[in-house]
Amino acid sequence: MKPDELEVLEVLVDRAGDLLARTPADQRCLLGVVGAPGGGKSTLVEALLPALAGRLGEAVAHVPMDGFHLADAQLDRLGRRERKGAPDTYDVDGYAAALFRCRHDLGHDVFVPGFERSLEQPIAAALVVPAPARLVLTEGNYLLHDADGWDQVRPLLDECWYVDLADEVRRERLVARHVLFGKSPDQAAAWVETVDEPNALLVAHGRSRADLVIAP
């Protein structure tokens, strides 16, 4: 990590620590990281988690929104598989319920699904918010979306940070990611254009509602 990136990370860790310090003792603190597909939100969270753990130990945990993807079997049943990644291809009610439990069920383990990128499928109870955890990071595309049931998510978060990566870089990363996980270059480019980019526009509409905008 470059020196300037380390400096930004330290500022973000300090901000998260201050947020936790203001959280009532009988609740967990929930911090959201949002951005468009390929925007770098997962990369940021992957850097934040060990940095926060170094300061807070077991007090930090992770609940990725991607774990609440509907499985392909359900997407096929609903006729939505060709739009996988759109707001209505997630279990938003399950996600909101899990966040509610994370906030209020202090002192108990909370099991949540993860997402296996190599399979492109959610995995039930793959992750846990351990009982001692006081700060929970959650990242995804639609934390600031205000339709399709997603409006119930933002009130559950203490803060939500928006990662705003340049569109050209973001699209290049998306194409490379889709190729890495099995699509041909042409298929990857078509998916980015027809599926990822419309979703990116929806995500961008929530940018003004973020508590902090981070430009990598």
Side-chain angles (χ1 to χ4, degrees), residues 28-145:
R28 290 190 178 97
C29 175
L30 270 61
L31 172 59
V33 178
V34 64
K41 54 193 174 294
S42 296
T43 300
L44 176 60
V45 169
E46 287 169 3
L48 279 170
L49 284 170
L52 287 166
R55 182 177 298 186
L56 303 173
E58 287 188 334
V60 63
H62 181 213
V63 178
M65 189 197 84
D66 275 354
F68 295 86
H69 266 287
L70 295 179
D72 285 352
Q74 295 304 320
L75 295 177
D76 287 339
R77 181 181 67 85
L78 296 167
R80 301 175 187 172
R81 189 166 178 178
E82 295 306 311
R83 297 187 299 103
K84 188 173 183 177
D88 63 350
T89 63
Y90 292 84
D91 175 15
V92 60
D93 292 329
Y95 180 50
L99 293 180
F100 184 89
R101 281 195 64 204
C102 287
R103 174 175 286 286
H104 295 289
D105 200 1
L106 194 65
H108 296 88
D109 290 347
V110 179
F111 294 96
V112 296
F115 189 76
E116 179 53 60
R117 183 64 65 180
S118 63
L119 300 174
E120 288 291 305
Q121 292 295 294
I123 306 295
L127 301 173
V128 62
V129 176
R134 291 294 321 288
L135 173 64
V136 177
L137 267 64
T138 185
E139 90 281 359
N141 296 336
Y142 302 117
L143 278 57
L144 294 174
H145 191 45

